[in-house]
Amino acid sequence: MSPLSPQQLYRARCLSLTGPLKNSHNPVLSVNATEMAAAACHPPTRFHHVHGANICIDPSHTQATRVESFANGLCFSQEPLEPGQIFLVEIEEKELGWCGHLRVGLTAHDPRSLDVVPEYSLPDLVNMGDTWVFAITRHHNHVTPDGSEARLQGFLSDPYLLIEQVRIPRDKLVGRSRPSQYSHMLDDLYKTNVLPPTARRSRIGVLYAIRSDGMADMHIIINGEDMGPSARSLPVSRPLYAVIDVFASTKSVRVIQVEYGFPSLQTLCRLVIQKHIVHRLAIDGLDLPPLLKNFCKYE
């Protein structure tokens, strides 16, 4: 008998945790067992202790900061990603004077196997083979023609990100600006609530999704929007680690833990509140606790 692949082991482990949940009175509440188990199976994401020479990882292994220069900023996920598991980071700090931005992707190389962590993800790590890295730019991150992918229509669009069999609540994936008093007159952020990809507080993630033919594609997610399959037919028989290159103008990033399966009650409450306002600053006029106001405006 041939050994099970990582995705087969993952599915088997998930299915062993729960059975199907059916609601005969309301089909909407019927839940696929694999989706529910997947939410319970994905462990928290952290940075690996192996990283570039200029990177400082905080004690929780959730923040990576490049302390000097513009290179030697490579980071890896602590564990290989499971199918459909996203490694999501938020840009915490920028540094002026450099050309270039964050780079993200996947590698089949175990970080512990590296004699020396490469200076750059592109081209150094990619040239080692079995590595796929995507350079984030301010514009033109889509790898599919315009119009072929669903676009965000404001922050109250489709609440789920859907890629193949992957279904993730979109809310946690979206970075949010800090609106000023007149931001609704100066820009379009009050309409979309979505930041430019390279801006501070922007959220960028990477995952791989199993296709119906058993192969996998790598997807880059920017502020809740799928950029399309940026690498196809990945070797899912090998463990795949996330690659985060804290490069050039990106100085510090923080890992964001993602909700799977269903949005939290807190998230659902925020969506209801936002649905009845015209601009985030209008939340200040509502009779709500200050902590809830801040959560609705900024988180």
Side-chain angles (χ1 to χ4, degrees):
M1 186 182 218
S2 59
L4 294 176
S5 66
Q7 67 268 26
Q8 289 172 323
L9 289 170
Y10 163 74
R11 289 169 181 165
R13 184 168 77 254
C14 287
L15 287 172
S16 69
L17 294 179
T18 185
L21 302 177
K22 298 295 182 181
N23 188 312
S24 58
H25 300 291
N26 189 347
V28 175
L29 298 180
S30 297
V31 180
N32 180 278
T34 305
E35 288 184 2
M36 285 292 292
C41 283
H42 291 319
T45 49
R46 301 281 189 271
F47 285 118
H48 205 284
H49 68 273
V50 174
H51 52 73
N54 288 336
I55 284 292
C56 177
I57 302 291
D58 78 333
S60 69
H61 282 244
T62 60
Q63 185 179 44
T65 303
R66 195 185 68 253
V67 295
E68 63 177 292
S69 185
F70 65 95
N72 282 302
L74 265 177
C75 303
F76 305 93
S77 58
Q78 190 173 65
E79 303 290 340
L81 298 186
E82 295 170 337
Q85 181 184 20
I86 185 171
F87 194 92
L88 182 71
V89 298
E90 179 175 290
I91 299 175
E92 285 221 314
E93 189 177 350
K94 304 276 293 183
E95 187 171 49
L96 299 177
W98 303 114
C99 181
H101 304 281
L102 187 72
R103 298 167 173 183
V104 300
L106 296 169
T107 182
H109 295 283
D110 186 330
R112 295 169 298 181
S113 70
L114 300 175
D115 294 330
V116 177
V117 177
E119 185 175 6
Y120 305 99
S121 59
L122 287 170
D124 299 0
L125 185 63
V126 170
N127 285 344
M128 295 174 62
D130 290 334
T131 300
W132 307 265
V133 174
F134 191 92
I136 305 300
T137 62
R138 187 175 176 83
H139 306 288
H140 311 301
N141 292 296
H142 283 271
V143 296
T144 51
D146 286 347
S148 63
E149 291 288 338
R151 301 307 177 103
L152 285 175
Q153 301 296 323
F155 59 84
L156 293 175
S157 61
D158 187 344
Y160 291 97
L161 172 71
L162 302 173
I163 305 174
E164 297 293 341
Q165 302 302 313
V166 178
R167 182 173 180 267
I168 305 174
R170 194 189 298 273
D171 192 72
K172 274 276 192 175
L173 308 180
V174 181
R176 290 175 172 80
S177 63
R178 291 273 179 174
S180 65
Q181 183 178 358
Y182 302 106
S183 65
H184 60 291
M185 293 188 291
L186 297 177
D187 57 49
D188 288 334
L189 285 177
Y190 81 100
K191 296 177 183 176
T192 62
N193 198 28
V194 176
L195 291 161
T198 58
R200 183 173 173 269
R201 298 179 65 86
S202 185
R203 293 185 176 183
I204 299 169
V206 60
L207 61 82
Y208 69 95
I210 307 296
R211 302 194 311 242
S212 57
D213 62 2
M215 302 301 289
D217 294 337
M218 180 179 82
H219 290 255
I220 304 300
I221 313 301
I222 300 179
N223 289 318
E225 187 176 6
D226 177 22
M227 299 294 106
S230 51
R232 295 181 180 274
S233 301
L234 272 61
V236 293
S237 59
R238 297 179 59 184
L240 296 173
Y241 292 81
V243 177
I244 304 293
D245 192 352
V246 187
F247 178 70
S249 65
T250 305
K251 183 174 179 63
S252 181
V253 297
R254 175 173 59 95
V255 174
I256 302 295
Q257 304 303 331
V258 176
E259 298 170 347
Y260 294 92
F262 294 99
S264 67
L265 180 59
Q266 188 179 43
T267 294
L268 292 174
C269 289
R270 174 172 62 191
L271 291 174
V272 171
I273 293 170
Q274 290 176 332
K275 185 177 180 180
H276 293 87
I277 61 171
V278 295
H279 182 253
R280 280 179 291 162
L281 294 181
I283 292 174
D284 288 329
L286 300 178
D287 187 17
L288 297 172
L291 288 178
L292 182 55
K293 289 183 180 181
N294 287 334
F295 178 74
C296 290
K297 288 194 294 184
Y298 304 136
E299 291 301 318

